[in-house]
Amino acid sequence: MKWWDDLWLNEAFANFVSYLCLDEAEGLEEYTAAWSIFLVTSFRGLATDQQSTTHPISVEVPDSDAADDIFDGISYGKGAAFLNQAFFLFGREVFLIGLASYFKEYAFQNTQLADFVRHMSNAAATLKIERDFAQWARTWLQSAGCNIIWHEIEEEAGVIKKFTVHQKAHVHGIGNQLRIQKYKCAFYDEDMKIIKEIDILTKSDQASFELEELAGTKAPFAYHINYRNYGFAKFIIDDKSLDAFQTRLSKIEDSLSRRQLYYIMWDMLRLNDLSGARLLDICKTQLMDETAVDVLTTALHGVIPVCIETYCPLEAYEAAQHDIFELLLDGVLTKGAIEDSATRHSVLTALIDSARSEDHYVVLMKWFEQGFVTNSKGDQLQDVEISATHKHSIIVSVWSS
């Protein structure tokens, strides 16, 4: 890029395209975690965009000293999410045509954001897409803050009576406004199998609108808002679906979907759209059957610590930590369903970190001295190894208690 103003595009483009290539490139079929990793990036951007210090993706940088301030969750996370949304909204062919002409004209040269936008706009026009790419991009790039999107669903006798999409601008963000974006909503049956997917297109001039085509159709067991993470907004899960996820989230076959739902619920804590106690309860009931390392990492090292340390009453703190210790030891690890050692290592780390009572410290010291892990019945867990890192964590946990 010619100047710091547009360097976010360089970083965000590399970010987004790297995940796209990892997901689609021939010979890399065994690597399935691309979009799961992208979740972390996009939700980092969403968290940054909900703070009072948020800023537009594209900002003026007066000098090189100020350039350090633009490299954050907005430039990397929201910037990549903007490209992901553009790819989904305008389509693959627009990107292929637009990038081909862009790279042809500017090979071995520096460019500006306007150059990229012009080529993408021309590609959209070539494909006779009526939506103006440049105008759409300005609403995403030159104003700060995110939108909040939720569904109001009326059902009667197992049939959808009314399906309304609501949106509003988050309170933080200079010039924040409603934006056009497309996202998916998946419908689950009672076995948590997907029975339908729909595309939802928001409008920049409507805070609420109905999906009339859904009226009179069979109601699912649960709705997955922003399925596959194509949208970028603060999405809020409806109450019926929260009830379903509280009892059956772990039955969803796709680990990416399970991880994303934990992230959405985690984000719902910020504006009290979900209580810490309820999210903690969902974690405790659904992690019993969880084996995916990315989902466990998100829940054990992100969601649960935040729920307990920030959103639980002080008088419930030790009891909550005690429950997590017991859950991980006698539930997750003793069950023996986790096949890979790296995931077991991560679970054991979270277990040690959750120790808060004298009984648990005694257990930790026993493990330290004997060199292996035992459950509450005294049975050795053959596949769970205590590493040097774990032993160090035990020492820190016990001696800082």
Side-chain angles (χ1 to χ4, degrees):
M1 312 308 291
K2 289 184 177 180
W3 186 242
W4 295 105
D5 291 14
D6 302 326
L7 197 63
W8 71 267
L9 180 59
N10 185 68
E11 302 304 309
F13 185 84
N15 206 352
F16 167 65
V17 172
S18 66
Y19 296 118
L20 183 64
C21 291
L22 183 59
D23 181 54
E24 298 188 359
E26 293 184 9
L28 297 179
E29 290 81 7
E30 63 180 294
Y31 300 102
T32 59
W35 297 118
S36 182
I37 301 172
F38 182 75
L39 272 178
V40 181
T41 298
S42 60
F43 272 90
R44 178 196 174 202
L46 184 60
T48 307
D49 213 22
Q50 295 179 69
Q51 298 175 8
S52 59
T53 53
T54 188
H55 58 82
I57 297 174
S58 180
V59 294
E60 182 179 346
V61 182
D63 52 53
S64 296
D65 290 337
D68 282 344
D69 295 334
I70 68 171
F71 296 106
D72 57 10
I74 299 298
S75 56
Y76 286 94
K78 186 177 181 180
F82 158 76
L83 293 173
N84 186 40
Q85 170 61 201
F87 190 86
F88 184 57
L89 178 62
F90 286 88
R92 176 186 296 269
E93 286 302 310
V94 169
F95 263 68
L96 291 177
I97 295 173
L99 291 178
S101 61
Y102 174 72
F103 287 129
K104 181 178 180 180
E105 179 176 351
Y106 296 108
F108 306 108
Q109 299 179 56
N110 290 327
T111 63
Q112 295 176 307
L113 172 63
D115 302 322
F116 173 79
V117 172
R118 174 168 55 84
H119 279 272
M120 299 302 290
S121 296
N122 291 341
T126 299
L127 294 173
K128 302 187 183 307
I129 295 175
E130 294 183 2
R131 183 170 291 107
D132 187 326
F133 185 93
Q135 182 179 357
W136 173 82
R138 278 194 294 272
T139 65
W140 281 85
L141 301 178
Q142 296 178 3
S143 59
C146 65
N147 293 162
I148 303 173
I149 300 175
W150 69 100
H151 299 160
E152 182 182 0
I153 307 161
E154 298 178 24
E155 298 177 0
E156 187 175 286
V159 172
I160 296 175
K161 186 177 180 181
K162 189 176 182 181
F163 193 114
T164 307
V165 178
H166 298 288
Q167 62 172 342
K168 64 180 179 180
H170 196 284
V171 293
H172 293 313
I174 297 175
N176 198 7
Q177 59 187 292
L178 297 182
R179 299 176 181 86
I180 296 172
Q181 66 176 302
K182 184 169 72 170
Y183 64 93
K184 284 185 174 294
C185 181
F187 291 19
Y188 292 107
D189 64 14
E190 293 186 359
D191 295 321
M192 304 311 285
K193 304 294 184 184
I194 294 177
I195 54 177
K196 181 193 292 187
E197 295 178 26
I198 62 171
D199 290 344
I200 298 176
L201 181 66
T202 64
K203 304 170 179 64
S204 59
D205 59 352
Q206 282 188 286
S208 300
F209 56 93
E210 291 182 30
L211 300 183
E212 296 179 358
E213 65 273 19
L214 292 179
T217 62
K218 182 181 178 180
F221 184 70
Y223 303 85
H224 185 156
I225 192 170
N226 196 29
Y227 175 64
R228 307 303 293 178
N229 196 42
Y230 292 118
F232 182 85
K234 181 181 182 65
F235 289 96
I236 300 175
I237 301 170
D238 63 277
D239 290 338
K240 173 184 175 178
S241 299
L242 277 176
D243 291 341
F245 297 145
Q246 185 156 1
T247 58
R248 304 190 186 185
L249 191 154
S250 62
K251 294 183 179 296
I252 297 174
E253 184 175 357
D254 180 28
S255 65
L256 171 63
S257 295
R258 299 197 303 274
R259 189 182 199 191
Q260 186 204 10
L261 287 168
Y262 276 113
Y263 264 114
I264 293 175
M265 291 187 290
W266 186 0
D267 185 61
M268 287 172 63
L269 291 175
R270 297 178 188 276
L271 294 180
N272 296 319
D273 295 304
L274 181 64
S275 71
R278 184 171 188 189
L279 180 50
L280 187 61
D281 189 52
I282 292 173
C283 290
K284 288 192 293 186
T285 56
Q286 295 307 299
L287 291 180
M288 287 283 291
D289 298 313
E290 186 57 67
T291 59
V293 63
D294 53 349
V295 182
L296 286 168
T297 298
T298 297
L300 298 181
H301 301 286
V303 177
I304 289 176
V306 168
C307 283
I308 295 177
E309 296 170 13
T310 307
Y311 293 94
C312 280
L314 286 176
E315 59 269 22
Y317 177 81
E318 288 192 7
Q321 293 284 19
H322 181 276
D323 290 346
I324 296 302
F325 187 98
E326 299 295 324
L327 166 71
L328 298 182
L329 178 57
D330 292 325
V332 178
L333 289 178
T334 298
K335 196 170 185 178
I338 300 175
E339 297 180 354
D340 67 288
S341 59
T343 306
R344 291 193 294 268
H345 179 100
S346 178
V347 173
L348 183 57
T349 298
L351 189 156
I352 294 170
D353 291 343
S354 66
R356 291 295 184 277
S357 68
E358 283 300 318
D359 290 344
H360 289 165
Y361 295 136
V362 170
V363 171
L364 294 184
M365 286 307 301
K366 180 181 179 181
W367 295 349
F368 183 91
E369 293 168 356
Q370 66 191 14
F372 55 86
V373 177
T374 53
N375 60 22
S376 60
K377 296 180 179 179
D379 301 326
Q380 180 178 350
L381 304 184
Q382 299 292 339
D383 295 329
V384 182
E385 298 179 359
I386 297 182
S387 67
T389 302
H390 288 140
K391 289 186 176 181
H392 177 265
S393 297
I394 289 174
I395 292 173
V396 171
S397 179
V398 171
W399 290 102
S400 62
S401 63

